C-alpha cells in the first residue's frame, strides 16, 4: 500500500502544481491581450461613466491579486463568471457545447486505435508483407496532408462526388441515431487519420523489438499459436509507449477539434472559442482553456498512474 501511495504522490503533486500554473497563465491572459476588456461590455462610443460602471460591475478596477483570488475562488466553486457579450453563465455555455467536442475526440481516438493496433501488430509480424507495404504507403500519404486539407478532400469525395455522407451540420443522437452517426463520420475520419499514422508506426516499431526478445522466441519454440504470442506475449509489453502517447493525443484531439468543427459546422467548443475571440469575450476563452488544460492533465496523470499495470518492470522499480 505504501508503494502505491509513494508511486502516486509524484504525478498527483505535478498535476496540482501544473494546474495552478495554468490557472495563473489563463488569468493573466486577460491582462496581456491588447485593448480594454470593457470594450466588450459597453456599446461603441459609451461615456466614461458607463465604462466605469461596467468596470466596477466585473471587478476590473480591483487589484490584480484580489481579482485572481476572487476568480480562482469562483472557479473552485464551479463559477466561471458570465459572458461579456451574451451575459449568460460561462459554464452553462461550455456544458452545452462540450459534449460535441468530447464525442468527436473520443470517437476519433477509438477509430484510430481500432485501426492502428491490428495493422501495427501484423505489420510487425510480417514486415515487408502486403499489408505492411499498403499501410506504409497510406501512412506516408496521410502524414503529408494537413488535417484541414484532408477534411476538405473527404467532403469532396464522400459528400459531393459520391453523396454518401452529409458534409455539414449536426443532429443530436437523441433525435436520430443514424443521422447523428452519418453527420459525425467525416469529422471523425478527418481527426483519426492523422493519429493512425502515429499509432501504427509507434506500435510497429515496439512490436518488432518485442518479437525478438527471449520470452517471445521461447513461446514460438514451444509451438504456441501465433495469435496468443502476438496478443498475450508481445502486445501488452509493446503498448507501453502507445499508452503514453495516447494520453497526449487525446488532449491534442480535444484542442484540435477547432478547425474540424469549423469545416463541418459543428456546434462544439471550437466554434465557441472562435466566436468568443472574435467578440473579445475573453472570460469565455479563459474558462475553455482552463477546462481543456484540466482535462488534458487529468488524462496524462491517469496514464502515468496506470504504467505499473502495463509493465511489471515499473512496479519493481517503484518497490525497490
Amino acid at each position: 500500500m505504501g508503494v502505491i501511495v509513494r508511486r502516486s504522490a509524484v504525478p498527483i503533486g505535478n498535476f496540482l502544481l501544473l494546474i495552478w500554473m495554468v490557472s495563473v497563465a489563463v488569468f493573466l491572459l486577460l491582462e496581456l491581450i491588447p485593448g480594454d476588456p470593457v470594450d466588450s461590455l459597453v456599446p461603441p462610443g459609451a461615456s466614461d461613466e458607463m465604462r466605469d460602471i461596467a468596470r466596477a460591475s466585473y471587478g476590473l478596477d480591483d487589484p490584480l491579486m484580489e481579482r485572481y483570488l476572487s476568480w480562482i475562488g469562483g472557479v473552485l466553486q464551479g463559477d466561471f463568471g458570465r459572458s461579456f457579450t451574451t451575459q449568460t453563465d460561462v459554464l452553462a455555455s461550455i456544458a452545452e457545447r462540450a459534449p460535441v467536442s468530447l464525442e468527436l475526440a473520443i470517437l476519433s481516438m477509438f477509430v484510430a486505435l481500432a485501426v492502428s493496433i491490428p495493422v501495427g501488430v501484423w505489420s510487425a509480424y510480417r514486415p515487408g508483407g502486403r499489408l505492411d507495404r499498403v499501410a506504409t504507403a497510406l501512412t506516408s500519404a496521410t502524414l503529408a496532408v494537413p488535417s484541414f486539407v484532408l477534411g476538405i478532400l473527404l467532403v469532396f469525395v464522400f459528400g459531393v462526388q459520391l453523396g454518401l455522407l452529409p458534409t455539414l451540420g449536426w443532429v443530436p443522437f437523441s433525435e436520430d441515431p443514424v443521422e447523428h452517426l452519418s453527420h459525425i463520420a467525416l469529422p471523425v475520419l478527418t481527426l483519426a487519420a492523422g493519429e493512425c499514422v502515429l499509432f501504427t508506426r509507434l506500435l510497429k516499431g515496439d512490436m518488432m523489438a518485442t518479437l525478438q526478445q527471449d520470452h517471445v522466441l521461447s513461446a514460438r519454440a514451444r509451438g504456441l499459436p501465433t495469435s496468443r504470442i502476438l496478443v498475450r506475449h508481445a502486445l501488452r509489453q509493446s503498448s507501453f509507449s502507445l499508452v503514453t502517447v495516447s494520453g497526449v493525443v487525446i488532449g491534442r484531439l480535444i484542442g484540435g477539434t477547432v478547425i474540424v468543427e469549423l469545416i463541418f459546422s459543428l456546434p462544439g467548443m471550437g466554434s465557441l472559442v472562435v466566436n468568443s475571440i472574435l467578440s473579445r469575450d475573453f472570460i469565455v476563452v479563459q474558462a475553455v482553456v482552463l477546462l481543456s488544460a484540466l482535462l488534458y492533465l487529468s488524462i496524462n496523470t491517469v496514464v502515468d498512474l496506470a504504467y505499473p499495470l502495463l509493465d511489471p518492470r515499473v512496479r519493481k522499480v517503484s518497490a525497490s
Side-chain angles (χ1 to χ4, degrees):
M1 187 66 180
V3 174
I4 297 177
V5 173
R6 289 196 303 270
R7 168 66 188 163
S8 305
V10 174
I12 292 176
N14 291 337
F15 167 79
L16 295 176
L17 176 62
L18 287 171
I19 200 63
W20 172 74
M21 294 173 64
V22 169
S23 73
V24 173
V26 167
F27 175 76
L28 293 177
L29 174 70
L30 193 63
E31 303 297 320
L32 299 176
I33 292 177
D36 192 341
V38 177
D39 294 336
S40 304
L41 301 173
V42 297
S47 64
D48 292 339
E49 182 179 359
M50 289 182 62
R51 296 176 67 87
D52 291 339
I53 292 174
R55 185 176 284 106
S57 65
Y58 276 84
L60 297 176
D61 52 356
D62 295 334
L64 183 65
M65 181 59 68
E66 183 178 337
R67 280 189 284 132
Y68 172 74
L69 293 176
S70 175
W71 176 73
I72 197 64
V75 167
L76 292 175
Q77 300 177 47
D79 181 11
F80 288 82
R82 304 187 71 81
S83 168
F84 287 168
T85 56
T86 64
Q87 298 300 308
T88 57
D89 182 73
V90 172
L91 189 59
S93 299
I94 294 175
E96 182 181 354
R97 293 173 175 262
V100 177
S101 298
L102 289 175
E103 181 183 2
L104 185 58
I106 292 172
L107 285 179
S108 301
M109 187 74 171
F110 176 79
V111 170
L113 289 173
V115 173
S116 301
I117 290 176
V119 172
V121 169
W122 193 256
S123 296
Y125 181 67
R126 288 283 186 264
R130 182 178 301 176
L131 178 62
D132 184 36
R133 293 197 302 271
V134 172
T136 300
L138 289 177
T139 54
S140 299
T142 304
L143 191 62
V145 180
S147 60
F148 68 92
V149 175
L150 180 61
I152 295 173
L153 289 175
L154 292 176
V155 167
F156 178 74
V157 174
F158 292 98
V160 177
Q161 293 294 318
L162 300 179
L164 297 177
L165 295 169
T167 58
L168 299 174
W170 175 263
V171 177
F173 185 84
S174 57
E175 291 185 8
D176 191 333
V178 176
E179 281 296 313
H180 171 80
L181 294 176
S182 66
H183 277 79
I184 203 173
L186 290 181
V188 166
L189 290 177
T190 302
L191 284 175
E195 309 311 329
C196 282
V197 176
L198 174 63
F199 292 156
T200 301
R201 292 190 171 187
L202 181 65
L203 183 59
K204 176 186 174 183
D206 288 347
M207 281 286 295
M208 291 181 68
T210 303
L211 290 173
Q212 300 303 315
Q213 294 184 5
D214 292 340
H215 70 283
V216 177
L217 296 176
S218 176
R220 285 183 174 179
R222 295 199 306 268
L224 294 180
T226 301
S227 59
R228 184 175 178 181
I229 295 174
L230 293 177
V231 176
R232 296 191 59 180
H233 293 269
L235 179 58
R236 182 176 178 179
Q237 184 174 337
S238 302
S239 63
F240 193 77
S241 299
L242 184 64
V243 171
T244 303
V245 173
S246 296
V248 178
V249 167
I250 188 65
R252 186 175 66 188
L253 284 173
I254 294 172
T257 59
V258 175
I259 296 178
V260 173
E261 288 177 10
L262 293 177
I263 292 175
F264 295 97
S265 299
L266 303 179
M269 300 277 283
S271 57
L272 177 63
V273 170
V274 171
N275 293 334
S276 299
I277 292 174
L278 293 177
S279 62
R280 299 181 62 83
D281 197 353
F282 299 121
I283 194 169
V284 177
V285 179
Q286 281 182 326
V288 172
V289 173
L290 181 61
L291 289 175
S292 299
L294 176 62
L295 180 60
Y296 176 78
L297 292 174
S298 299
I299 292 172
N300 280 274
T301 301
V302 171
V303 169
D304 194 13
L305 294 174
Y307 284 164
L309 301 177
L310 294 172
D311 196 335
R313 294 172 295 181
V314 177
R315 292 197 294 269
K316 294 178 181 178
V317 171
S318 300
S320 58

